[in-house]
Amino acid sequence: MSYWDEALYLPPVLRTLTSLEIDMSVLAAGTVALDSVETPFGKAENILGGSATYITLAARFFSPDIRLIGVIGYDFPEEFVDRLKDAKIDLTGLEVNTSSRTFAWEGKYEYDLNQRDTIATHLNALETFRPQIPEQHRQCNIVCLGNLDPIVQCSVLDQMIDPDFVLCDTMNYWISQAPEKLRETIGRIDCLVVNDSECRQLADEPNLIRAARIIQQMGPKILVIKKGEHGALLFADENVFSVPAYPLENIQDPTGAGDAFMGGLAGFLSSQKEISLDTLKQAVVIGSAVASFTVESFGPDRLFEIDGQAISKRVDAFRELTTIPTPETVRL
Amino acid sequence: MSYWDEALYLPPVLRTLTSLEIDMSVLAAGTVALDSVETPFGKAENILGGSATYITLAARFFSPDIRLIGVIGYDFPEEFVDRLKDAKIDLTGLEVNTSSRTFAWEGKYEYDLNQRDTIATHLNALETFRPQIPEQHRQCNIVCLGNLDPIVQCSVLDQMIDPDFVLCDTMNYWISQAPEKLRETIGRIDCLVVNDSECRQLADEPNLIRAARIIQQMGPKILVIKKGEHGALLFADENVFSVPAYPLENIQDPTGAGDAFMGGLAGFLSSQKEISLDTLKQAVVIGSAVASFTVESFGPDRLFEIDGQAISKRVDAFRELTTIPTPETVRL
């Protein structure tokens, strides 16, 4: 009998959120970018992008108090600022660097959409970005650290006053280039959200389940592994939960799906009374649902179109997709 | 709103099995092999292997009437025959070629176990194998065509008298080398069971969901895609169902997992009164459970050790792994 036969039956409540004066708030620090993306289905230049953008746009469906921490340059279109403001994202923490251009990313996806090639990364305003969290933002329920230099991620945490729950993303570049600082960051968070190859790389272990256990030993008791078209895995203490990707025949642009996933997850958690195994499972499904919309258009367009009802309907479809029927007669 | 939002809610009963005089029977045609396998965790030479072996050993947990169609050579150990007989596999259809050695396969898995390298394939007795289905085996509820030359698969079907349900596996070799004969076979079956790369290759389409739809147009209304560590997808008419792989930290040898998956799936269906969307979903979970045991040891050893109770317990764990909690308070 394997370890798991035991492990899957642990008590469901992991942790209860401390009540804060500021309720249901999410702060997301990350990139705000001008993306140029090419997929087999089209091409778009200098569109709204960045991890903080996708996280906040996804989180806003669940909370009225979504705060963005990031930087833009002098070339960032006013129109994009207006779109974010119209979406009720609090931009008090969006710094404008008037002497630099905005962080820009150019990428291309091959026909199977599983492989992303970065054509160019222009750090621009991001290069000197040292976020100053506005005083009124320092108390916050949920903190999302989007993919950024772990030094910057740590500096955000240094400025926050006792957040209830901290989620963090990273990428292969920081795992290989800044392993010590990244380990410091990971040691301070509650939940790491990475893709499967990053998980294997960070743990230096090819078996994904063992890799997850190794990362949990590094600090975060909760780990979410994003597997693109194969869905996501949640590791919470000793428990495991699996959610598939929503079966989509038409994927326009995968950019931002992982960030929208984390945003939906974080936003949903901020709307709950406690962070338990059950709310975490629901949050991972919600994140998957929001991510599944994101890829249906170029950039974050779909995130501006959908509403809570659309997300709710898709969550029902996830239930349909995964529910194992109870057998009437199993002869074993 | 995508196609899927509608498609996931179709009526559940696909088809009801016609009652046959012979009840709950499964016939599996495939290879019986001597495998030599190397994984990072060990090495084994000339062990019991082959698709028909794994299929029947997995199916036997659900039906007392499991019939193997295959061929062995003069070098096949009597001990292996005894093991299969002890497992109550009907070997009437196991041909012995006294002038040839047994089909032999040598393979090696790299450290991440996702990549299998075939070192050598010695067809031997398989080269001239043209199965003669024993008279008493020609009426059978469920027919499983393990990976074989599609000519041989068709010849098995030619000899069967109106089976209720035919499942078929194939591999990349036949997709590229015998596309026409394979298409003929696929046109005659009810359910194709292939892995994700074979699915993409057969449909010539990188999007897995679209590829599945294309294959369903070729004939089989039911398609099961095996995705290894990422689980399996069931396509049944317009419906989709997803099951993850069981999270295993210790995988000794992945050989035969796909065949055991099909065997468990077919065996379970043979025990049911009807083949409906619900029984198919359950069958895919059962197949995944049996496959998850298979990889825990070299060769089919674990399949000789486990019993219905162990499978049942693991199916419960799958339920735990995938059940989306019903939210108490979701504020969308």
Side-chain angles (χ1 to χ4, degrees):
Chain A
M1 235 0 78
S2 87
Y3 171 69
W4 288 99
D5 290 301
E6 305 304 323
L8 288 162
Y9 294 101
L10 286 195
V13 175
L14 289 172
R15 183 175 173 180
T16 301
L17 277 178
T18 320
S19 290
L20 276 186
E21 281 178 57
I22 303 155
D23 193 28
M24 296 179 62
S25 50
V26 178
L27 177 138
T31 57
V32 177
L34 294 175
D35 282 350
S36 294
V37 183
E38 189 178 344
T39 82
F41 311 107
K43 204 171 166 172
E45 286 188 6
N46 294 312
I47 59 175
L48 177 59
S51 57
T53 304
Y54 282 99
I55 294 169
T56 53
L57 286 174
R60 78 193 168 100
F61 297 108
F62 310 95
S63 161
D65 186 355
I66 306 293
R67 306 155 185 186
L68 187 151
I69 304 295
V71 65
I72 53 177
Y74 58 80
D75 59 341
F76 193 76
E78 192 60 32
E79 178 213 336
F80 290 172
V81 175
D82 291 340
R83 291 185 80 183
L84 291 170
K85 276 185 188 162
D86 289 349
K88 312 282 184 229
I89 311 298
D90 183 331
L91 300 181
T92 319
L94 178 62
E95 190 183 307
V96 185
N97 182 332
T98 52
S99 62
S100 178
R101 299 177 77 89
T102 304
F103 168 63
W105 177 79
E106 288 175 45
K108 189 178 173 178
Y109 296 85
E110 295 307 323
Y111 197 52
D112 75 358
L113 295 173
N114 293 324
Q115 188 67 41
R116 169 164 71 186
D117 296 319
T118 291
I119 309 293
T121 304
H122 307 282
L123 288 182
N124 299 335
L126 201 60
E127 197 157 6
T128 54
F129 179 50
R130 294 293 174 271
Q132 291 299 315
I133 313 293
E135 202 58 43
Q136 71 273 29
H137 281 2
R138 298 188 179 194
Q139 281 202 333
C140 191
N141 294 107
I142 311 267
V143 174
C144 271
L145 302 172
N147 174 41
L148 282 171
D149 186 331
I151 293 174
V152 177
Q153 292 179 322
C154 271
S155 116
V156 171
L157 287 186
D158 290 340
Q159 298 173 65
M160 298 305 296
I161 301 164
D162 196 23
D164 287 316
F165 197 75
V166 179
L167 301 96
C168 176
D169 190 4
T170 190
M171 64 178 287
N172 50 2
Y173 179 83
W174 305 117
I175 297 172
S176 59
Q177 297 305 308
E180 285 176 27
K181 195 69 189 175
L182 180 60
R183 283 293 290 273
E184 188 189 323
T185 311
I186 290 175
R188 297 175 64 182
I189 63 169
D190 299 291
C191 175
L192 185 69
V193 182
V194 285
N195 71 34
D196 46 351
S197 69
E198 288 156 359
C199 176
R200 290 187 165 97
Q201 186 189 355
L202 181 59
D204 193 20
E205 162 61 52
N207 179 292
L208 203 56
I209 314 302
R210 270 204 301 267
R213 295 311 178 191
I214 290 168
I215 290 172
Q216 285 181 301
Q217 297 293 324
M218 296 178 186
K221 292 290 162 267
I222 301 164
L223 171 67
V224 179
I225 303 176
K226 302 173 284 183
K227 304 193 295 174
E229 67 164 347
H230 301 300
L233 282 174
L234 163 71
F235 294 83
D237 288 347
E238 303 297 318
N239 305 276
V240 199
F241 175 66
S242 170
V243 62
Y246 189 70
L248 288 169
E249 291 189 68
N250 289 302
I251 298 175
Q252 289 291 310
D253 171 16
T255 308
D259 299 314
F261 173 87
M262 182 157 87
L265 196 164
F268 176 79
L269 286 179
S270 81
S271 78
Q272 297 297 298
K273 285 188 210 128
E274 60 176 22
I275 295 183
S276 64
L277 181 57
D278 272 5
T279 54
L280 281 167
K281 286 178 175 180
Q282 290 163 29
V284 168
V285 176
I286 296 266
S288 304
V290 178
S292 75
F293 285 111
T294 310
V295 303
E296 290 179 344
S297 69
F298 271 79
D301 285 358
R302 282 292 277 152
L303 292 179
F304 288 104
E305 295 166 8
I306 59 168
D307 56 15
Q309 206 183 356
I311 298 171
S312 188
K313 199 176 168 196
R314 194 153 286 187
V315 168
D316 288 343
F318 270 94
R319 228 178 266 280
E320 189 75 17
L321 179 66
T322 59
T323 301
I324 304 172
T326 306
E328 287 170 47
T329 49
V330 189
R331 308 183 217 161
L332 279 175
Chain B
M1 230 7 72
S2 88
Y3 172 69
W4 286 101
D5 291 300
E6 304 304 323
L8 287 163
Y9 294 100
L10 286 195
V13 175
L14 290 172
R15 183 175 174 180
T16 302
L17 276 180
T18 320
S19 289
L20 277 185
E21 281 177 58
I22 302 155
D23 193 29
M24 296 181 60
S25 49
V26 177
L27 177 138
T31 56
V32 178
L34 295 176
D35 283 350
S36 295
V37 184
E38 189 179 344
T39 82
F41 311 106
K43 204 171 166 172
E45 286 189 5
N46 294 312
I47 57 173
L48 177 60
S51 58
T53 304
Y54 282 100
I55 294 168
T56 53
L57 285 175
R60 79 193 168 99
F61 296 107
F62 310 95
S63 161
D65 186 354
I66 305 293
R67 307 153 184 188
L68 186 151
I69 305 295
V71 64
I72 52 176
Y74 58 79
D75 59 341
F76 193 76
E78 192 61 31
E79 178 213 336
F80 291 172
V81 175
D82 291 340
R83 290 186 80 183
L84 292 170
K85 277 185 187 160
D86 289 347
K88 312 281 184 230
I89 310 298
D90 184 331
L91 299 180
T92 318
L94 179 62
E95 191 184 305
V96 185
N97 182 332
T98 52
S99 62
S100 178
R101 299 178 75 88
T102 304
F103 168 62
W105 176 78
E106 288 174 45
K108 189 177 172 178
Y109 296 83
E110 294 306 322
Y111 196 53
D112 74 358
L113 295 173
N114 293 323
Q115 188 67 42
R116 169 163 71 186
D117 297 320
T118 291
I119 309 293
T121 304
H122 307 282
L123 287 181
N124 299 335
L126 200 61
E127 197 157 6
T128 54
F129 178 50
R130 293 294 173 270
Q132 293 299 314
I133 314 291
E135 202 58 42
Q136 71 273 30
H137 280 3
R138 298 189 179 194
Q139 281 201 333
C140 193
N141 293 106
I142 310 266
V143 174
C144 271
L145 303 172
N147 175 41
L148 281 172
D149 186 332
I151 294 175
V152 177
Q153 292 178 321
C154 271
S155 116
V156 171
L157 287 187
D158 290 341
Q159 298 172 65
M160 299 305 296
I161 301 164
D162 196 24
D164 287 315
F165 197 76
V166 179
L167 300 97
C168 176
D169 190 5
T170 189
M171 64 179 286
N172 50 0
Y173 179 82
W174 305 117
I175 297 171
S176 59
Q177 297 304 308
E180 286 175 27
K181 195 69 188 175
L182 180 61
R183 283 294 288 271
E184 188 189 323
T185 312
I186 290 175
R188 297 174 64 183
I189 63 168
D190 299 290
C191 175
L192 184 69
V193 182
V194 285
N195 71 33
D196 47 351
S197 69
E198 289 156 0
C199 176
R200 290 188 165 98
Q201 186 189 357
L202 181 59
D204 193 21
E205 162 61 51
N207 178 292
L208 202 56
I209 314 302
R210 271 204 302 266
R213 295 311 178 191
I214 291 168
I215 291 172
Q216 285 181 302
Q217 298 292 324
M218 296 178 185
K221 292 290 161 268
I222 301 163
L223 171 67
V224 180
I225 303 176
K226 301 173 285 183
K227 304 193 295 173
E229 66 164 347
H230 301 301
L233 282 173
L234 163 71
F235 295 82
D237 287 349
E238 302 297 317
N239 305 277
V240 199
F241 175 65
S242 170
V243 63
Y246 190 70
L248 287 170
E249 291 188 70
N250 288 303
I251 298 174
Q252 289 292 310
D253 171 17
T255 309
D259 299 314
F261 174 87
M262 182 157 87
L265 195 163
F268 176 79
L269 287 179
S270 81
S271 77
Q272 297 296 298
K273 286 188 207 130
E274 61 175 22
I275 295 183
S276 64
L277 181 57
D278 272 4
T279 54
L280 281 167
K281 286 178 175 179
Q282 289 164 28
V284 169
V285 176
I286 296 268
S288 304
V290 178
S292 75
F293 285 111
T294 310
V295 303
E296 290 179 344
S297 68
F298 271 80
D301 285 357
R302 281 293 275 154
L303 292 178
F304 288 104
E305 295 167 6
I306 59 168
D307 56 16
Q309 206 183 355
I311 297 171
S312 187
K313 197 175 169 198
R314 194 153 287 188
V315 168
D316 288 343
F318 270 93
R319 227 177 266 281
E320 189 74 18
L321 180 65
T322 60
T323 300
I324 303 172
T326 307
E328 285 171 49
T329 49
V330 189
R331 307 183 216 163
L332 279 174

